[in-house]
Amino acid sequence: MKKVSVVYHSGYGHTAFIAKKVAEGITSAKNIEVQLVEVGNKSMDWEILQNSDAIVFGSPTYMGNVSAQFKAFMDESSKAWMTQSWANKLAAGFTVSGSPSGDKLNTLQALTTFALQHGMLWVGYNTLPETYGGKKPEEARNRLGSFTGLMVQASNETAEKAFYPGDIESALDFGKRIGTVLSKNIV
Amino acid sequence: MKKVSVVYHSGYGHTAFIAKKVAEGITSAKNIEVQLVEVGNKSMDWEILQNSDAIVFGSPTYMGNVSAQFKAFMDESSKAWMTQSWANKLAAGFTVSGSPSGDKLNTLQALTTFALQHGMLWVGYNTLPETYGGKKPEEARNRLGSFTGLMVQASNETAEKAFYPGDIESALDFGKRIGTVLSKNIV
Amino acid sequence: MKKVSVVYHSGYGHTAFIAKKVAEGITSAKNIEVQLVEVGNKSMDWEILQNSDAIVFGSPTYMGNVSAQFKAFMDESSKAWMTQSWANKLAAGFTVSGSPSGDKLNTLQALTTFALQHGMLWVGYNTLPETYGGKKPEEARNRLGSFTGLMVQASNETAEKAFYPGDIESALDFGKRIGTVLSKNIV
Amino acid sequence: MKKVSVVYHSGYGHTAFIAKKVAEGITSAKNIEVQLVEVGNKSMDWEILQNSDAIVFGSPTYMGNVSAQFKAFMDESSKAWMTQSWANKLAAGFTVSGSPSGDKLNTLQALTTFALQHGMLWVGYNTLPETYGGKKPEEARNRLGSFTGLMVQASNETAEKAFYPGDIESALDFGKRIGTVLSKNIV
């Protein structure tokens, strides 16, 4: 049984919604247990992270970067960094914002830079945009064309109504990829 | 009369098409002369660039970065870099690829890093996505949500048919912004 | 008389020390007034920023990015972003950390991405590393080789003893460049 | 027996020198075979790459990015990208330039963006700067403080004389890390 934590911050519930879909996708791989860990009011449960084989990081993109709340989590992790206690865990990341690009790549690069400081191994998202094969954007996985991690676009609606079906499928698909890499001892 | 060069590489004509639209937008500002300079078979006309008040850089995004052809131009510019002879010129950038994100931000960051090595001043694109106000994506300016520079999505069709009307409007709009900043002596 | 704000966060006084040197450099240009604005306990004085012709952003690099405290300032600035009320102001940035590279470029890219979302014009640092001409690293300006903005390395000592003389000279030099660009109406 | 390719471009022999040291470090792990593959005049041997369990990418940093020659290799790899035939291979990267920072992080980010498009898993460099423990910079591993991959500083001397002993040790150390991750089936 391998353990995965999905650590995320969510301002209005959209990133939380996607975090759950990613988690659901991860559990579709065999022998994997997933924990959702929300960054917020309660103090962080560092032990869950320490006991995980993989940590997936999720944040909304605010002003072209992770949210301040998520950054506070990143800064507090410097204790783990000093002892490199997360080294060789698998890492992945996702981000949510209101426009198709919206500088979300900068957020994903912030997450890779961070995870690589921790000595983690980074797995991205490698489903080619299904729009290339003619699928309608609304229904296509990875329609935005993001590889460093998962990008999702949210409208102003509440989380249940804010996403294209294809973006939700992408979240499940991305989770499945993480789970598969972890369960197969790839590398 | 101020002078602007638009230096671009185009693999299949799509980036060339957008370069022309950007140039057209620039000339909508007063007292500005624009030169299109294609990176390619002919040797680069460095004097045109040296005599420009602003240089706009354009490249397709190939494998998440500027094209090799455009990179060759960048590498050859190291002579100008050593004497900082482009210092204080205005700079801007745009890129074209097949999906909405497609890691195009990494290309724009390559261009900013490059221009700032040359001591240039960087102007981005600051029209807020018109989709926020309810415009249909196909017709909205900056629908992709890019600020470091202009991002345009191209389909596999030939250049005339490859773009959404909104993306073409964005190219004109982005050019106009460059022209306005230059002609008003902003800063 | 032109106005410049230097907005910074400082965890242990090192970034504050450099902020002062940058401010000192800026005032070496003519007819420029500089305000230091610290991100922290007191509520931000947005009016000072709104009334500035240029805003210089400074943050330590924590975990390869701006500090959480500085990110909170960035996130709060989204009101100014929505009205693009900082558009066409000049922007620049600097960062401080313990090693020569230390992923500081990622922090500077976070600042450029942010400033370009605000429609600001970005000025970098273009003094070529004086080590190229044979100067000793300890005394050379821009010895680290940073162009997107200023990078400074700090030791664990208190701020007064934490910096190489060359890095302090770089901060003054970088400030002077910002002041010169602003006072000359370059662009 | 696992196979690793080290693909690199070298303008003046410095990156080639480091590539050899990285390769030497990799072979210090058990049951690993390393191939050096130079990007250049001869046509690329794509089959060696296809048959590798890990591919390490190395390029000088020219104008803040991979060299044009290395970018040409990246662009040609788009055939492998379309079939995702490199997916789940291990990837890592290194870069060489004349100053401590020198925007080398942008080159490493270009390499991560590229490798993640190919669906590879990225391993960085996680030896904490030995200068933190009091070692002299000249002799310290990871003195530059780089984690996304290896950064090495080269002087203008020929390759044999161009590097600090600590940077050469870093190259061996970085190679060893890649080899260890690969041979231990970590993840």
Side-chain angles (χ1 to χ4, degrees), chain B:
Chain B
M1 206 70 176
K2 294 214 170 163
K3 289 177 182 171
V4 183
S5 298
V6 179
V7 189
Y8 68 94
H9 169 250
S10 189
Y12 304 96
H14 298 85
T15 307
F17 184 91
I18 295 299
K20 275 172 207 145
K21 294 295 173 186
V22 171
E24 194 181 324
I26 294 169
T27 50
S28 70
K30 285 183 186 161
N31 297 318
I32 296 198
E33 203 177 277
V34 184
Q35 285 274 5
L36 285 162
V37 182
E38 188 167 2
V39 170
N41 298 323
K42 284 196 298 180
S43 62
M44 176 56 50
D45 188 338
W46 297 101
E47 211 172 312
I48 288 187
L49 303 189
Q50 191 55 56
N51 292 333
S52 298
D53 299 289
I55 309 177
V56 183
F57 305 104
S59 171
T61 290
Y62 290 166
M63 299 311 296
N65 208 328
V66 294
S67 66
Q69 291 91 333
F70 195 85
K71 188 63 195 4
F73 156 72
M74 287 165 66
D75 290 1
E76 284 166 37
S77 80
S78 60
K79 283 172 200 166
W81 175 77
M82 288 184 73
T83 55
Q84 287 289 301
S85 63
W86 293 0
N88 299 336
K89 294 182 192 300
L90 191 68
F94 61 94
T95 187
V96 179
S97 80
S99 53
S101 167
D103 294 340
K104 282 194 281 294
L105 181 57
N106 198 59
T107 300
L108 293 178
Q109 288 178 335
L111 295 175
T112 54
T113 302
F114 166 70
L116 293 166
Q117 288 200 354
H118 274 293
M120 304 174 86
L121 306 177
W122 188 267
V123 54
Y125 184 36
N126 78 326
T127 296
L128 298 192
E130 291 184 332
T131 44
Y132 290 178
K135 252 200 181 171
K136 283 196 292 183
E138 298 77 31
E139 295 169 10
R141 290 185 295 184
N142 202 13
R143 68 178 174 98
L144 295 176
S146 176
F147 303 91
T148 298
L150 175 74
M151 290 185 188
V152 169
Q153 183 183 1
S155 75
N156 280 331
E157 305 274 343
T158 54
E160 286 70 23
K161 300 179 181 175
F163 303 104
Y164 283 134
D167 281 16
I168 295 176
E169 287 301 317
S170 298
L172 292 165
D173 185 39
F174 175 60
K176 191 178 172 187
R177 168 156 172 74
I178 298 166
T180 306
V181 166
L182 193 63
S183 64
K184 283 201 180 160
N185 276 334
I186 284 169
V187 176

Side-chain angles (χ1 to χ4, degrees), chain A residues 61-69 71-78 81 102-103 106 109-110 113-114 117-118, chain C residues 61-69 71-78 81 102-103 106 109-110 113-114 117-118:
Chain A
T61 290
Y62 291 166
M63 299 310 297
N65 208 329
V66 294
S67 66
Q69 291 90 333
K71 188 65 195 1
F73 156 72
M74 287 165 65
D75 289 1
E76 285 167 36
S77 79
S78 60
W81 175 76
D103 294 340
N106 198 58
Q109 288 178 335
T113 302
F114 166 70
Q117 287 199 355
H118 275 292
Chain C
T61 290
Y62 291 167
M63 300 309 296
N65 207 329
V66 294
S67 67
Q69 291 91 334
K71 188 65 195 1
F73 156 72
M74 287 165 66
D75 290 1
E76 284 167 37
S77 80
S78 59
W81 175 77
D103 294 340
N106 198 58
Q109 288 178 335
T113 302
F114 166 70
Q117 288 200 354
H118 274 293

Side-chain angles (χ1 to χ4, degrees), chain A residues 17-18 21 152 159-160 163-173:
Chain A
F17 184 92
I18 295 301
K21 294 294 174 186
V152 169
E160 286 69 24
F163 302 104
Y164 282 133
D167 280 17
I168 294 176
E169 286 302 315
S170 298
L172 292 165
D173 185 39

Side-chain angles (χ1 to χ4, degrees), chain C residues 27-89:
Chain C
T27 51
S28 71
K30 284 182 186 162
N31 297 319
I32 296 198
E33 202 177 278
V34 184
Q35 285 273 4
L36 285 162
V37 182
E38 188 167 3
V39 170
N41 298 324
K42 283 197 299 180
S43 61
M44 176 55 51
D45 188 339
W46 297 101
E47 211 173 312
I48 288 187
L49 303 189
Q50 190 56 56
N51 292 333
S52 297
D53 299 290
I55 309 177
V56 183
F57 305 104
S59 171
T61 290
Y62 291 167
M63 300 309 296
N65 207 329
V66 294
S67 67
Q69 291 91 334
F70 195 85
K71 188 65 195 1
F73 156 72
M74 287 165 66
D75 290 1
E76 284 167 37
S77 80
S78 59
K79 284 172 198 165
W81 175 77
M82 287 185 73
T83 55
Q84 287 290 302
S85 63
W86 293 0
N88 299 336
K89 293 181 192 301

Side-chain angles (χ1 to χ4, degrees), chain C:
Chain C
M1 207 69 175
K2 295 215 170 162
K3 291 177 181 171
V4 182
S5 298
V6 179
V7 189
Y8 67 94
H9 170 249
S10 188
Y12 304 95
H14 298 85
T15 307
F17 184 91
I18 295 300
K20 276 173 206 142
K21 294 295 174 187
V22 171
E24 194 182 324
I26 294 170
T27 51
S28 71
K30 284 182 186 162
N31 297 319
I32 296 198
E33 202 177 278
V34 184
Q35 285 273 4
L36 285 162
V37 182
E38 188 167 3
V39 170
N41 298 324
K42 283 197 299 180
S43 61
M44 176 55 51
D45 188 339
W46 297 101
E47 211 173 312
I48 288 187
L49 303 189
Q50 190 56 56
N51 292 333
S52 297
D53 299 290
I55 309 177
V56 183
F57 305 104
S59 171
T61 290
Y62 291 167
M63 300 309 296
N65 207 329
V66 294
S67 67
Q69 291 91 334
F70 195 85
K71 188 65 195 1
F73 156 72
M74 287 165 66
D75 290 1
E76 284 167 37
S77 80
S78 59
K79 284 172 198 165
W81 175 77
M82 287 185 73
T83 55
Q84 287 290 302
S85 63
W86 293 0
N88 299 336
K89 293 181 192 301
L90 191 68
F94 62 93
T95 187
V96 178
S97 80
S99 54
S101 167
D103 294 340
K104 282 195 282 295
L105 181 57
N106 198 58
T107 300
L108 294 178
Q109 288 178 335
L111 295 175
T112 54
T113 302
F114 166 70
L116 293 166
Q117 288 200 354
H118 274 293
M120 304 173 86
L121 307 178
W122 188 267
V123 55
Y125 184 36
N126 78 327
T127 295
L128 297 192
E130 291 183 332
T131 45
Y132 290 178
K135 253 200 180 172
K136 283 196 291 183
E138 298 78 31
E139 295 169 10
R141 290 186 295 184
N142 201 12
R143 67 177 174 99
L144 296 177
S146 176
F147 303 91
T148 298
L150 175 73
M151 288 185 190
V152 169
Q153 184 183 2
S155 76
N156 280 331
E157 304 275 342
T158 53
E160 286 69 23
K161 300 180 181 175
F163 302 105
Y164 283 133
D167 281 16
I168 294 175
E169 286 301 317
S170 298
L172 292 165
D173 185 38
F174 175 61
K176 191 178 172 187
R177 168 155 172 75
I178 297 165
T180 307
V181 166
L182 193 63
S183 64
K184 284 201 179 160
N185 277 335
I186 283 169
V187 177

